[in-house]
Amino acid sequence: MIHILNGPNLNRLGGREPGVYGTLTLADIERMCRDHGQTLGHEITFRQSNSEGELVGWVHDANDSHGVVFNAGAYTHTSIALHDAVRAIAAPVIEVHLSNIHAREAFRHHSMLAAAAQGVICGFGANSYLLAMTALVGLQSG
Ligand code: DQA
């Protein structure tokens, strides 16, 4: 099982700053991830929350899974609790972003999660999620 977790405001994709995030909705991205999961031979769970504490619990839920694809939204830049949660589980976590956070405002250049994550993929739109899923499956066999 691959857990795909989405943080705050990502439920607004489609209408939210389309010039930055594109026009796909989170439901569109979920469909793409489900299709890609079938190709890879892995089931997925796909969840979104605006609440930091709920995301902490969902990271814990993924302890025994193949891994986590995690777009923590703005909590990426602020959350020691999510950093600690990523460190607290056995499964690998890949941080993803739709946008290239390094080409944006300075406050997005630092990630609290990156040092705890297996790796980071950003700037490829919805494809960031699919690349991360492929990378996770590669880790299992590599
Ligand atoms: C984001 C980038 C974050 O800086 C921002 O707060 C988001 C979305 C992305 O996917 O590009 O909410 O994680």
Side-chain angles (χ1 to χ4, degrees):
M1 178 73 74
I2 294 173
H3 291 240
I4 303 176
L5 305 181
N6 295 278
N9 300 305
L10 292 167
N11 54 316
R12 300 294 305 155
L13 287 177
R16 175 193 180 198
E17 300 187 75
V20 176
Y21 298 116
T23 53
L24 293 178
T25 65
L26 197 61
D28 293 330
I29 295 173
E30 176 173 359
R31 254 190 305 278
M32 291 168 66
C33 289
R34 287 201 182 284
D35 288 350
H36 195 54
Q38 281 199 335
T39 304
L40 294 172
H42 283 265
E43 278 186 57
I44 68 162
T45 64
F46 192 102
R47 297 195 270 192
Q48 188 275 333
S49 177
N50 295 318
S51 151
E52 186 177 15
E54 192 162 37
L55 290 163
V56 168
W58 289 350
V59 172
H60 295 172
D61 289 348
N63 182 61
D64 297 323
S65 73
H66 280 95
V68 182
V69 173
F70 195 9
N71 186 349
Y75 292 141
T76 303
H77 314 297
T78 63
S79 179
I80 297 170
L82 287 174
H83 169 104
D84 287 349
V86 169
R87 281 211 191 281
I89 65 166
V93 176
I94 300 188
E95 174 184 335
V96 300
H97 303 282
L98 297 156
S99 64
N100 178 355
I101 55 175
H102 303 290
R104 299 183 61 196
E105 303 96 321
F107 64 82
R108 297 184 204 277
H109 294 178
H110 184 257
S111 166
M112 299 298 298
L113 304 185
Q118 182 78 34
V120 181
I121 297 173
C122 71
F124 298 98
N127 205 28
S128 292
Y129 288 70
L130 308 185
L131 290 166
M133 291 171 70
T134 301
L136 274 179
V137 171
L139 284 178
Q140 305 313 314
S141 58

mmCIF file of all heavy atoms in Angstrom, residues 7-10 13 16 20-21 70-77 96-101 104-105 107-108 122-123 125 129, ligand 1:
data_model
loop_
_atom_site.group_PDB
_atom_site.id
_atom_site.type_symbol
_atom_site.label_atom_id
_atom_site.label_comp_id
_atom_site.label_asym_id
_atom_site.label_seq_id
_atom_site.Cartn_x
_atom_site.Cartn_y
_atom_site.Cartn_z
ATOM 1 N N GLY A 7 -1.931 18.033 2.170
ATOM 2 C CA GLY A 7 -2.167 18.979 3.239
ATOM 3 C C GLY A 7 -3.081 20.130 2.854
ATOM 4 O O GLY A 7 -3.862 20.044 1.901
ATOM 5 N N PRO A 8 -2.969 21.227 3.594
ATOM 6 C CA PRO A 8 -3.954 22.320 3.534
ATOM 7 C C PRO A 8 -4.052 22.992 2.177
ATOM 8 O O PRO A 8 -3.051 23.183 1.484
ATOM 9 C CB PRO A 8 -3.430 23.311 4.586
ATOM 10 C CG PRO A 8 -1.984 22.999 4.742
ATOM 11 C CD PRO A 8 -1.878 21.507 4.542
ATOM 12 N N ASN A 9 -5.285 23.319 1.852
ATOM 13 C CA ASN A 9 -5.666 24.082 0.657
ATOM 14 C C ASN A 9 -5.579 23.289 -0.642
ATOM 15 O O ASN A 9 -5.991 23.784 -1.693
ATOM 16 C CB ASN A 9 -4.836 25.384 0.532
ATOM 17 C CG ASN A 9 -5.027 26.290 1.729
ATOM 18 O OD1 ASN A 9 -6.162 26.638 2.053
ATOM 19 N ND2 ASN A 9 -3.953 26.650 2.409
ATOM 20 N N LEU A 10 -5.077 22.062 -0.566
ATOM 21 C CA LEU A 10 -4.981 21.277 -1.807
ATOM 22 C C LEU A 10 -6.361 20.789 -2.263
ATOM 23 O O LEU A 10 -6.530 20.443 -3.429
ATOM 24 C CB LEU A 10 -3.988 20.123 -1.627
ATOM 25 C CG LEU A 10 -2.548 20.637 -1.474
ATOM 26 C CD1 LEU A 10 -1.609 19.538 -0.984
ATOM 27 C CD2 LEU A 10 -2.029 21.227 -2.781
ATOM 28 N N LEU A 13 -7.574 22.831 -5.288
ATOM 29 C CA LEU A 13 -6.939 22.763 -6.611
ATOM 30 C C LEU A 13 -7.996 22.755 -7.708
ATOM 31 O O LEU A 13 -9.077 22.193 -7.543
ATOM 32 C CB LEU A 13 -6.076 21.495 -6.731
ATOM 33 C CG LEU A 13 -4.757 21.490 -5.949
ATOM 34 C CD1 LEU A 13 -4.069 20.134 -6.124
ATOM 35 C CD2 LEU A 13 -3.838 22.618 -6.401
ATOM 36 N N ARG A 16 -7.742 27.114 -7.470
ATOM 37 C CA ARG A 16 -6.752 27.822 -6.645
ATOM 38 C C ARG A 16 -5.533 28.209 -7.482
ATOM 39 O O ARG A 16 -4.789 27.336 -7.932
ATOM 40 C CB ARG A 16 -6.308 26.892 -5.513
ATOM 41 C CG ARG A 16 -5.210 27.451 -4.647
ATOM 42 C CD ARG A 16 -4.597 26.379 -3.746
ATOM 43 N NE ARG A 16 -3.553 26.969 -2.951
ATOM 44 C CZ ARG A 16 -2.610 26.283 -2.325
ATOM 45 N NH1 ARG A 16 -2.586 24.973 -2.394
ATOM 46 N NH2 ARG A 16 -1.692 26.906 -1.628
ATOM 47 N N VAL A 20 -0.304 29.012 -11.033
ATOM 48 C CA VAL A 20 0.774 28.368 -10.265
ATOM 49 C C VAL A 20 0.575 26.856 -10.239
ATOM 50 O O VAL A 20 1.519 26.077 -10.445
ATOM 51 C CB VAL A 20 0.817 28.890 -8.811
ATOM 52 C CG1 VAL A 20 1.869 28.148 -7.994
ATOM 53 C CG2 VAL A 20 1.057 30.393 -8.786
ATOM 54 N N TYR A 21 -0.685 26.423 -9.968
ATOM 55 C CA TYR A 21 -0.935 25.007 -9.679
ATOM 56 C C TYR A 21 -1.630 24.250 -10.810
ATOM 57 O O TYR A 21 -1.812 23.036 -10.700
ATOM 58 C CB TYR A 21 -1.759 24.883 -8.391
ATOM 59 C CG TYR A 21 -1.044 25.435 -7.184
ATOM 60 C CD1 TYR A 21 -1.538 26.543 -6.489
ATOM 61 C CD2 TYR A 21 0.147 24.869 -6.742
ATOM 62 C CE1 TYR A 21 -0.874 27.059 -5.387
ATOM 63 C CE2 TYR A 21 0.824 25.380 -5.644
ATOM 64 C CZ TYR A 21 0.305 26.473 -4.967
ATOM 65 O OH TYR A 21 0.981 26.980 -3.880
ATOM 66 N N PHE A 70 3.969 12.576 -0.021
ATOM 67 C CA PHE A 70 3.433 13.562 0.910
ATOM 68 C C PHE A 70 3.571 14.972 0.345
ATOM 69 O O PHE A 70 4.686 15.496 0.221
ATOM 70 C CB PHE A 70 4.200 13.451 2.234
ATOM 71 C CG PHE A 70 3.556 14.134 3.411
ATOM 72 C CD1 PHE A 70 2.281 14.649 3.348
ATOM 73 C CD2 PHE A 70 4.249 14.239 4.615
ATOM 74 C CE1 PHE A 70 1.689 15.274 4.446
ATOM 75 C CE2 PHE A 70 3.680 14.853 5.715
ATOM 76 C CZ PHE A 70 2.391 15.375 5.624
ATOM 77 N N ASN A 71 2.440 15.573 0.003
ATOM 78 C CA ASN A 71 2.406 17.006 -0.292
ATOM 79 C C ASN A 71 1.788 17.688 0.918
ATOM 80 O O ASN A 71 0.559 17.707 1.080
ATOM 81 C CB ASN A 71 1.582 17.293 -1.546
ATOM 82 C CG ASN A 71 1.668 18.772 -1.935
ATOM 83 O OD1 ASN A 71 2.174 19.602 -1.168
ATOM 84 N ND2 ASN A 71 1.156 19.106 -3.116
ATOM 85 N N ALA A 72 2.622 18.223 1.778
ATOM 86 C CA ALA A 72 2.149 18.809 3.036
ATOM 87 C C ALA A 72 1.708 20.262 2.871
ATOM 88 O O ALA A 72 1.391 20.920 3.875
ATOM 89 C CB ALA A 72 3.233 18.695 4.099
ATOM 90 N N GLY A 73 1.683 20.762 1.620
ATOM 91 C CA GLY A 73 1.256 22.143 1.407
ATOM 92 C C GLY A 73 2.116 23.085 2.236
ATOM 93 O O GLY A 73 3.325 22.876 2.401
ATOM 94 N N ALA A 74 1.492 24.116 2.789
ATOM 95 C CA ALA A 74 2.260 25.125 3.534
ATOM 96 C C ALA A 74 2.877 24.583 4.823
ATOM 97 O O ALA A 74 3.863 25.147 5.319
ATOM 98 C CB ALA A 74 1.363 26.321 3.846
ATOM 99 N N TYR A 75 2.327 23.472 5.364
ATOM 100 C CA TYR A 75 2.953 22.883 6.563
ATOM 101 C C TYR A 75 4.375 22.405 6.274
ATOM 102 O O TYR A 75 5.181 22.251 7.196
ATOM 103 C CB TYR A 75 2.119 21.714 7.108
ATOM 104 C CG TYR A 75 0.783 22.108 7.689
ATOM 105 C CD1 TYR A 75 -0.343 21.313 7.477
ATOM 106 C CD2 TYR A 75 0.634 23.253 8.452
ATOM 107 C CE1 TYR A 75 -1.574 21.652 7.995
ATOM 108 C CE2 TYR A 75 -0.598 23.608 8.981
ATOM 109 C CZ TYR A 75 -1.705 22.800 8.748
ATOM 110 O OH TYR A 75 -2.921 23.135 9.257
ATOM 111 N N THR A 76 4.680 22.170 4.992
ATOM 112 C CA THR A 76 6.055 21.826 4.595
ATOM 113 C C THR A 76 7.050 22.805 5.194
ATOM 114 O O THR A 76 8.144 22.419 5.623
ATOM 115 C CB THR A 76 6.183 21.927 3.051
ATOM 116 O OG1 THR A 76 5.223 21.070 2.450
ATOM 117 C CG2 THR A 76 7.585 21.584 2.578
ATOM 118 N N HIS A 77 6.663 24.074 5.198
ATOM 119 C CA HIS A 77 7.613 25.137 5.538
ATOM 120 C C HIS A 77 7.621 25.484 7.024
ATOM 121 O O HIS A 77 8.445 26.280 7.459
ATOM 122 C CB HIS A 77 7.283 26.389 4.716
ATOM 123 C CG HIS A 77 7.032 26.087 3.263
ATOM 124 N ND1 HIS A 77 7.991 25.553 2.431
ATOM 125 C CD2 HIS A 77 5.907 26.192 2.495
ATOM 126 C CE1 HIS A 77 7.482 25.372 1.221
ATOM 127 N NE2 HIS A 77 6.212 25.749 1.239
ATOM 128 N N VAL A 96 6.555 15.797 -2.001
ATOM 129 C CA VAL A 96 6.252 16.268 -3.358
ATOM 130 C C VAL A 96 5.576 17.633 -3.313
ATOM 131 O O VAL A 96 4.903 17.990 -2.332
ATOM 132 C CB VAL A 96 5.346 15.292 -4.160
ATOM 133 C CG1 VAL A 96 5.993 13.934 -4.309
ATOM 134 C CG2 VAL A 96 3.951 15.177 -3.578
ATOM 135 N N HIS A 97 5.776 18.370 -4.415
ATOM 136 C CA HIS A 97 5.059 19.622 -4.640
ATOM 137 C C HIS A 97 4.719 19.736 -6.114
ATOM 138 O O HIS A 97 5.524 19.334 -6.968
ATOM 139 C CB HIS A 97 5.907 20.826 -4.223
ATOM 140 C CG HIS A 97 6.333 20.753 -2.797
ATOM 141 N ND1 HIS A 97 5.475 21.065 -1.764
ATOM 142 C CD2 HIS A 97 7.485 20.355 -2.227
ATOM 143 C CE1 HIS A 97 6.108 20.870 -0.622
ATOM 144 N NE2 HIS A 97 7.318 20.437 -0.864
ATOM 145 N N LEU A 98 3.568 20.310 -6.377
ATOM 146 C CA LEU A 98 3.188 20.586 -7.763
ATOM 147 C C LEU A 98 4.112 21.634 -8.360
ATOM 148 O O LEU A 98 4.606 21.504 -9.484
ATOM 149 C CB LEU A 98 1.739 21.105 -7.796
ATOM 150 C CG LEU A 98 0.683 20.108 -7.307
ATOM 151 C CD1 LEU A 98 -0.550 20.856 -6.820
ATOM 152 C CD2 LEU A 98 0.317 19.149 -8.416
ATOM 153 N N SER A 99 4.329 22.702 -7.595
ATOM 154 C CA SER A 99 5.149 23.822 -8.074
ATOM 155 C C SER A 99 6.606 23.616 -7.677
ATOM 156 O O SER A 99 6.910 22.813 -6.781
ATOM 157 C CB SER A 99 4.620 25.131 -7.476
ATOM 158 O OG SER A 99 4.758 25.129 -6.062
ATOM 159 N N ASN A 100 7.491 24.353 -8.335
ATOM 160 C CA ASN A 100 8.902 24.359 -7.944
ATOM 161 C C ASN A 100 9.061 25.372 -6.814
ATOM 162 O O ASN A 100 9.179 26.574 -7.054
ATOM 163 C CB ASN A 100 9.786 24.722 -9.141
ATOM 164 C CG ASN A 100 11.253 24.784 -8.757
ATOM 165 O OD1 ASN A 100 11.610 24.641 -7.586
ATOM 166 N ND2 ASN A 100 12.110 25.011 -9.736
ATOM 167 N N ILE A 101 9.069 24.871 -5.578
ATOM 168 C CA ILE A 101 9.075 25.775 -4.422
ATOM 169 C C ILE A 101 10.340 26.650 -4.386
ATOM 170 O O ILE A 101 10.331 27.725 -3.806
ATOM 171 C CB ILE A 101 8.918 25.006 -3.084
ATOM 172 C CG1 ILE A 101 9.982 23.918 -2.914
ATOM 173 C CG2 ILE A 101 7.523 24.412 -2.977
ATOM 174 C CD1 ILE A 101 9.937 23.211 -1.548
ATOM 175 N N ARG A 104 10.008 30.102 -6.184
ATOM 176 C CA ARG A 104 8.910 30.945 -5.689
ATOM 177 C C ARG A 104 9.399 31.835 -4.530
ATOM 178 O O ARG A 104 10.580 32.103 -4.406
ATOM 179 C CB ARG A 104 7.733 30.044 -5.292
ATOM 180 C CG ARG A 104 7.200 29.238 -6.488
ATOM 181 C CD ARG A 104 5.993 28.415 -6.129
ATOM 182 N NE ARG A 104 4.892 29.283 -5.681
ATOM 183 C CZ ARG A 104 3.815 28.845 -5.012
ATOM 184 N NH1 ARG A 104 3.705 27.565 -4.722
ATOM 185 N NH2 ARG A 104 2.868 29.678 -4.640
ATOM 186 N N GLU A 105 8.468 32.313 -3.713
ATOM 187 C CA GLU A 105 8.829 33.233 -2.624
ATOM 188 C C GLU A 105 9.869 32.589 -1.709
ATOM 189 O O GLU A 105 9.865 31.373 -1.504
ATOM 190 C CB GLU A 105 7.597 33.586 -1.774
ATOM 191 C CG GLU A 105 6.435 34.200 -2.527
ATOM 192 C CD GLU A 105 5.401 33.163 -2.917
ATOM 193 O OE1 GLU A 105 5.767 32.034 -3.310
ATOM 194 O OE2 GLU A 105 4.205 33.493 -2.838
ATOM 195 N N PHE A 107 10.039 32.369 1.422
ATOM 196 C CA PHE A 107 9.535 31.584 2.559
ATOM 197 C C PHE A 107 9.187 30.152 2.176
ATOM 198 O O PHE A 107 8.975 29.309 3.040
ATOM 199 C CB PHE A 107 8.347 32.280 3.251
ATOM 200 C CG PHE A 107 7.106 32.444 2.407
ATOM 201 C CD1 PHE A 107 6.199 31.396 2.264
ATOM 202 C CD2 PHE A 107 6.831 33.650 1.776
ATOM 203 C CE1 PHE A 107 5.037 31.545 1.516
ATOM 204 C CE2 PHE A 107 5.676 33.812 1.008
ATOM 205 C CZ PHE A 107 4.787 32.754 0.868
ATOM 206 N N ARG A 108 9.138 29.870 0.849
ATOM 207 C CA ARG A 108 8.882 28.484 0.426
ATOM 208 C C ARG A 108 10.166 27.713 0.139
ATOM 209 O O ARG A 108 10.134 26.527 -0.189
ATOM 210 C CB ARG A 108 8.016 28.462 -0.844
ATOM 211 C CG ARG A 108 6.645 29.048 -0.651
ATOM 212 C CD ARG A 108 5.801 28.918 -1.916
ATOM 213 N NE ARG A 108 4.760 29.918 -1.933
ATOM 214 C CZ ARG A 108 3.589 29.808 -1.300
ATOM 215 N NH1 ARG A 108 3.297 28.714 -0.630
ATOM 216 N NH2 ARG A 108 2.708 30.787 -1.346
ATOM 217 N N CYS A 122 9.693 18.144 -6.937
ATOM 218 C CA CYS A 122 8.835 19.315 -7.041
ATOM 219 C C CYS A 122 8.953 19.950 -8.415
ATOM 220 O O CYS A 122 9.987 19.821 -9.085
ATOM 221 C CB CYS A 122 9.150 20.337 -5.951
ATOM 222 S SG CYS A 122 10.710 21.217 -6.129
ATOM 223 N N GLY A 123 7.867 20.586 -8.833
ATOM 224 C CA GLY A 123 7.906 21.385 -10.049
ATOM 225 C C GLY A 123 7.330 20.710 -11.276
ATOM 226 O O GLY A 123 7.354 21.292 -12.359
ATOM 227 N N GLY A 125 4.078 19.532 -11.586
ATOM 228 C CA GLY A 125 2.626 19.451 -11.542
ATOM 229 C C GLY A 125 2.190 18.102 -10.985
ATOM 230 O O GLY A 125 2.881 17.509 -10.136
ATOM 231 N N TYR A 129 3.589 13.622 -8.335
ATOM 232 C CA TYR A 129 3.046 12.508 -7.554
ATOM 233 C C TYR A 129 3.402 11.164 -8.200
ATOM 234 O O TYR A 129 3.777 10.204 -7.522
ATOM 235 C CB TYR A 129 1.519 12.616 -7.459
ATOM 236 C CG TYR A 129 0.991 13.703 -6.567
ATOM 237 C CD1 TYR A 129 1.110 15.047 -6.901
ATOM 238 C CD2 TYR A 129 0.313 13.391 -5.385
ATOM 239 C CE1 TYR A 129 0.591 16.042 -6.091
ATOM 240 C CE2 TYR A 129 -0.202 14.382 -4.560
ATOM 241 C CZ TYR A 129 -0.062 15.707 -4.918
ATOM 242 O OH TYR A 129 -0.576 16.691 -4.107
HETATM 243 C C1 DQA B 1 2.710 23.239 -2.594
HETATM 244 C C2 DQA B 1 3.740 24.343 -2.371
HETATM 245 C C3 DQA B 1 3.562 24.999 -1.017
HETATM 246 O O1 DQA B 1 4.509 26.046 -0.849
HETATM 247 C C4 DQA B 1 2.173 25.597 -0.886
HETATM 248 O O2 DQA B 1 1.982 26.112 0.408
HETATM 249 C C5 DQA B 1 1.097 24.618 -1.242
HETATM 250 C C6 DQA B 1 1.285 23.763 -2.409
HETATM 251 C C7 DQA B 1 2.802 22.632 -4.020
HETATM 252 O O3 DQA B 1 2.284 21.545 -4.214
HETATM 253 O O4 DQA B 1 3.361 23.271 -4.922
HETATM 254 O O5 DQA B 1 0.030 24.613 -0.640
HETATM 255 O O6 DQA B 1 2.956 22.193 -1.668
#
